Amino acid sequence: MPQKDCPQCEGTGWKPVEVNGIRRVAPCDCQNLERAALLLKQAHIPPRYEHCELANFDLRKNTASGQTNPSLERAKFDAGKYVEEYPTDFGLLFVGPTGVGKTHLAVAVIRELMLRKGVECLFYDFHDLLKTIRDSYNPRTQSTELTVLQPALDVEVLLLDELAASKPSDWVKETLQHIINSRYNYKKVTLITTTLLADDASPRRQGRQPSGEAVPDLDYTLNQLGITLRSRLYEMCKIVQMNSDDFRMAVKQAGNKFRVE
C-alpha cells in the first residue's frame, strides 16, 4: 500500500519517470518501504536485537596490535556476501562460543534481506519455540505441532537462534528433525546459531583456551543432534565459525555504569 503523504507519488503508488526522453510511471519506492516495515514487524525480532546491523557489528580490535579480529571480520564478510548474492540454495550456520556475536550477525542478515530485497523472514529462539509447543499442547486434538510449527516450516527464510546442542532429549531431536527435514525437502533457506561445546571427556582433545577451558569442537557439537541431522545441516548451510572472547563480559559489562558514581 502506498504512503498517502509520499511526495514522489502523492499517494498513488506510482511515480513519474523519464526513459529515453519518454515520460512513464513506475512503482514508487514508498511501497517497498512500507512492505519492508511490515516484514520487520512480522519477523518477531526481539527488542534486544532490533538494532543489529552489519554496519554496527563490533570486529573487536586487539588492544596490543590494533588489528581487528580476523575470525569476526571473515564472518561479517560472509554475512554481507550472503545478502548480496541472495537468493541462494543454502543458509548459514553461525557457530562459536558464547558472546561472540552470532545472533547479531544472523539478525543483521535477515534485516538486510527484508529491507533490501523484500524477503519474508522469521526469527525463532529455539528454546522459546520448544516451550510454546509444550505449553499449548492439547492431547485431545494433538494439533499443537502443526499450528505452532507451520510458520517456521513455511517462511522463506527462517532464523533458528540458540539451537539446542547440549545433550538434547529425544523429543527435542525429533522436533528439530521435523523442522529441518521439512525445510530441507522444500528447499527452504535456514539460518542457525549454535554455541559450540567442548568435549572434555575425549582423549583426542588437546590444548586449552586461555581461560583453562577445553577448546570447543564443531563436529562434537553437531554430533549431539544425531548423525543424520548433522549431515543435513552441513549440506543446507555454509558454516560461519566465529572465535573471540565474550563481548558481553569484555565490553558490555564495562558500560554498565550509574550516571553518578
Side-chain angles (χ1 to χ4, degrees), residues 117-137:
K117 299 195 172 183
V119 177
E120 183 185 16
C121 302
L122 189 59
F123 177 106
Y124 264 119
D125 179 288
F126 187 63
H127 301 279
D128 289 345
L129 176 60
L130 295 178
K131 186 176 186 304
T132 301
I133 295 172
R134 289 192 184 100
D135 290 349
S136 59
Y137 181 67

